[in-house]
Amino acid sequence: MRKEKHTETNADTSMKTHLMAYLDEAASRWPDKTAYSDGTVSVTFREAYEQSRAIGSYLAGIGTVREPVVVFMNRGPNMILAFFGALYAGKYYVPLDMEMPRFRIELILEEIKPKFLICDRETAAVASELVDPDALLMFDETVKTEIRENELSQIREKIIDTDPAYVVFTSGSTGIPKGVVACHRSVIRYVETLSGLLRINSDTVFGNQTPLYLDACLKEIFPTLKFGASAYIIPKQLFMFPLKLVDFIIEHKINTVCWVVSALTMISGLNVLEKHVPHTLKTIAFASEVFPIKQFNRWQKALPDATFINLYGPTEATGVCCYFEVNRSFELDEAIPVGKPFPNTDILLLDPQNKLPRQGE
């Protein structure tokens, strides 16, 4: 029996049951604005819409809905378009990256057993060693497909908001990759909630640091579509040269970052902030690690008017689920709290016996 579509009660999400509804609207409202760029390759919202739907049309002609499409490409705008293409085709994407260890990729592919893997020129040789040649799809070829409007519309009608949107693999406590599935509904809720906390709008310019095979990149990918913002996929090599990294931030007027703490402390720990302040930054969110107070204080001193937000949460919660807006100074012996849960979210604190602690413990 087919499930009924879920109806949101929040005004912003009342008609959203599919993530690509964000791109449909963005292409109409901001067609010529840059959506994603790595400083070299850039795509506008219209280009993202047309190319994603072309990929979706190719995928719609093979296989069935609700099946995985592995995306094994270099980190950049085209990889994001491949994600969207899978979603337009009613499938879900599984992101992989060349920087992942070979044995890990093999374990993931063994678990997924994909019928299709989208690669690019740089990843094609390795991909051909990992999957059957018949499963290989070249990005440059799929993106040239004629758009099949009727077929894409029919697929959209079949997809409901509890259908999977992606699967990302965490390390798992055993070291064996563990796949975590996220559905359209959970990602939409995450986007709507996080966007409010980070005060995202059409003037927002993201600077993406996290690999696209991790769910942390959701903070930039989908809010960019919702608000007609822009997202720069910062080249990985710049994180080895903090002065050049700051130059990139300033050159592209990046004002919002959601980074792991180690990326931020790499800049402050090498005393870059004393010489070269990324003054365009207005919102700095951080997650994944405890922010050493000494390094945090350096950032706060360098950008006293910026908003700093601590985010926390496991992959299984779809991104993050707790937040704390830092609204005071912290002493060296203090720790920045993880804060309070997102709306419609609850947190349970358990003692070593996995029981609820008594008040005051």
Side-chain angles (χ1 to χ4, degrees), residues 20-71:
M20 288 301 89
Y22 287 127
L23 181 50
D24 296 344
E25 295 174 5
S28 175
R29 296 181 64 185
W30 306 283
D32 300 318
K33 186 177 180 181
T34 296
Y36 306 104
S37 175
D38 60 10
T40 302
V41 176
S42 298
V43 293
T44 64
F45 287 103
R46 179 191 287 117
E47 290 168 338
Y49 177 74
E50 292 174 348
Q51 292 179 38
S52 298
R53 284 162 57 80
I55 297 168
S57 296
Y58 185 97
L59 293 172
I62 54 178
T64 61
V65 297
R66 303 182 183 92
E67 65 181 356
V69 175
V70 171
V71 179

Side-chain angles (χ1 to χ4, degrees), residues 77 105 107 109 113 118 150 158 165 184 186 195 321 339 349 351:
I105 294 175
L107 287 172
L109 291 175
K113 295 180 175 58
I118 300 178
N150 291 338
K158 295 178 183 178
H184 288 262
S186 60
S195 297
C321 58
L349 297 178
D351 65 17

Side-chain angles (χ1 to χ4, degrees), residues 86-116:
L87 295 175
Y88 272 117
K91 306 178 193 293
Y92 57 95
Y93 66 88
V94 183
L96 300 180
D97 191 283
M98 285 283 282
E99 71 177 45
M100 300 169 70
R102 173 72 173 257
F103 76 91
R104 180 176 174 81
I105 294 175
E106 291 173 346
L107 287 172
I108 292 172
L109 291 175
E110 177 61 27
E111 180 72 18
I112 291 291
K113 295 180 175 58
K115 295 180 183 177
F116 315 109

Side-chain angles (χ1 to χ4, degrees), residues 55-191:
I55 297 168
S57 296
Y58 185 97
L59 293 172
I62 54 178
T64 61
V65 297
R66 303 182 183 92
E67 65 181 356
V69 175
V70 171
V71 179
F72 182 47
M73 296 174 59
N74 274 343
R75 176 171 166 266
N78 287 343
M79 188 174 187
I80 296 174
L81 301 190
F83 297 166
F84 295 165
L87 295 175
Y88 272 117
K91 306 178 193 293
Y92 57 95
Y93 66 88
V94 183
L96 300 180
D97 191 283
M98 285 283 282
E99 71 177 45
M100 300 169 70
R102 173 72 173 257
F103 76 91
R104 180 176 174 81
I105 294 175
E106 291 173 346
L107 287 172
I108 292 172
L109 291 175
E110 177 61 27
E111 180 72 18
I112 291 291
K113 295 180 175 58
K115 295 180 183 177
F116 315 109
L117 182 150
I118 300 178
C119 60
D120 54 28
R121 295 178 187 276
E122 289 74 21
T123 61
V126 175
S128 65
E129 300 172 359
L130 296 170
V131 297
D132 188 290
D134 292 338
L136 283 183
L137 307 176
M138 292 297 298
F139 176 87
D140 289 346
E141 295 301 319
T142 60
V143 80
K144 297 175 183 177
T145 306
E146 182 178 354
I147 297 174
R148 302 171 180 172
E149 298 285 356
N150 291 338
E151 196 163 353
L152 294 183
S153 295
Q154 291 170 8
I155 288 173
R156 180 70 66 89
E157 285 298 314
K158 295 178 183 178
I159 299 302
I160 60 177
D161 63 358
T162 52
D163 283 329
Y166 67 77
V167 176
V168 295
F169 280 79
T170 67
S171 297
S173 57
T174 63
I176 303 298
K178 180 182 66 173
V180 178
V181 183
C183 67
H184 288 262
R185 182 198 300 181
S186 60
V187 180
I188 288 169
R189 284 189 179 277
Y190 177 59
V191 169

